[in-house]
Amino acid sequence: MHEGSSVTTIEGLGTPENLHPMQAAFIKHDGYQCGYCTPGQICSAVAVLDEIKSGVPSHVSGSLTTAPEFSAAELRERMSGNICRRGAYSNIVEAVTEVAGRPA
Amino acid sequence: MKSFTYEKVNSPAAAATAGSTTGSAKFIAGGTNLLDLTKLEIETSAHLIDVNGLGLDKIEPTAEGGLRIGALVRNTALAADERVRRDYGLLSRALLAGASGQLRNKATTAGNLLQRTRCPYFYDTNQPCNKRTPGSGCSAIGGVARSLAVIGASEACIATHPSDMAVAMRALDATVETVGPDARTRAIAIADFHRLPGDTSMDLAQAQAAPGVLAIVTADNAGKSARAVTIRRSCSAGRRLSTITRP
Ligand SMILES: Cc1cc2nc3c(=O)[nH]c(=O)nc-3n(C[C@H](O)[C@H](O)[C@H](O)COP(=O)(O)OP(=O)(O)OC[C@H]3O[C@@H](n4cnc5c(N)ncnc54)[C@H](O)[C@@H]3O)c2cc1C
Ligand code: SF4
């Protein structure tokens, strides 16, 4: 229930003139085909990177007591709630990996 | 989907009172199970009582060195809590094996324990199901039942309880605490919390049978570093075999 909560949707992340880095990376790496799942993929990708940064573990994290690190396996597990019917996954992984590699 | 009324309450006792005085009322926490079931008209509550915001979202140490976990603590927060990761790795691992990140961000400790089965026939309202419509029969027996019970089943129902977290809580001998309309608390051992199907295919947990809102789950067994071995099946989330290895 989200009475009184503020919710950031894709429109709140960036604008066509001023894209969020994740939006720009999805365009650069062609991380979509029909675009139906793209707003969710991008919002999740941004949250996933934040969660790794704040130390939230995942099913594939080797240790629970050390900080998780970005890896392709972590990304695939953490993004597994977002389904792409057209299978743009490999380009999505490239886009998110590029953003993850940027200095914060 | 049938229309329903919605109420926000400001204390666990008020929630329990609302739950016991309003016919066909349900508590709603993360809504990740209740809303799906409502859309399918398997749950047809006329009134929803929102238990978010009751201050039950904290994890606190107990005098005995255990943890009191608020019923509204989200699955992600519980799995990521430093004390849980350090002393109850089993619980973190079990939570992280379940559902997806988005769902774990919404799902609560109480809702997870009280979620209903994911038996596919239970969700298909065109099929007979004793759990949905007592006496109608069980479509799973003789049907596609790979994800259903091998032990603890009955002739009326072979459904499993789908919570990965509950398996870890059981291995840790956790205690579940409910608050009644009179604000009195009641403690239920997790071993007694979920019922086997028996001949009526009942899956109602004890807490659902008596008026009361689930408030706290206490785990006092730090150091039981058992590890949950969960066998993930690729076909669909929510159908998983869990086993526990205890030291
Ligand atoms: C796609 C999908 C995949 C999933 N996969 C898994 C999985 O792999 N493993 C797993 O364990 N789970 C899985 N789940 C289930 C998920 O864990 C549950 O839906 C979730 O934990 C329910 O929590 P909630 O807070 O959203 O509950 P809600 O949907 O809000 O409530 C569920 C039930 O609990 C009752 N309730 C809630 N709070 C209280 C309270 N404080 N006191 C008394 N009663 C209360 C409600 O009345 C309702 O009957 C999956 C769910 C989905 C949709
Ligand atoms: S196993 Fe239980 S829930 Fe599944 S169809 Fe049979 S009675 Fe219904």
Side-chain angles (χ1 to χ4, degrees), chain B residues 25-36 43 51 56 71-72 74-75 94-95 97-100 103 106-116 118 162-166 207-208 212-215 232 237-240:
Chain B
K26 276 259 167 197
F27 302 120
I28 181 158
T32 61
N33 190 219
L34 187 60
L35 291 181
D36 279 358
E43 294 280 7
V51 293
L56 296 172
L72 272 291
R74 307 286 154 177
N75 287 179
L95 283 160
S100 66
L103 284 156
K106 289 293 305 164
T108 62
T109 311
N112 191 305
L113 284 177
L114 292 169
Q115 63 175 295
R116 303 205 68 188
R118 298 197 88 78
S163 168
D164 288 286
M165 184 193 75
Q208 282 170 317
V213 63
L214 206 154
R232 277 192 118 156
R239 314 211 198 300
R240 195 154 297 157

Side-chain angles (χ1 to χ4, degrees), chain A residues 2 44 59 61-62 64 82, chain B residues 50 85 93 96 102 106 232:
Chain A
H2 279 288
S44 287
H59 181 62
S61 303
L64 288 174
N82 289 78
Chain B
D50 190 346
R85 281 191 281 148
R93 290 287 182 201
L96 295 171
Q102 289 96 334
K106 289 293 305 164
R232 277 192 118 156

Side-chain angles (χ1 to χ4, degrees), chain B residues 7-22 27 49-51 54 179-183 213:
Chain B
E7 173 182 13
K8 227 174 148 65
V9 286
N10 52 25
S11 73
T17 305
S20 60
T21 51
T22 323
F27 302 120
I49 302 152
D50 190 346
V51 293
L54 296 186
V179 175
D182 54 3
V213 63

Side-chain angles (χ1 to χ4, degrees), chain B residues 117 119 121-122 128-131 138-140 148 156-159:
Chain B
T117 184
C119 169
Y121 301 99
F122 175 75
C129 166
N130 282 330
K131 197 184 283 295
C138 170
S139 305
L148 300 178
C157 178
I158 59 169

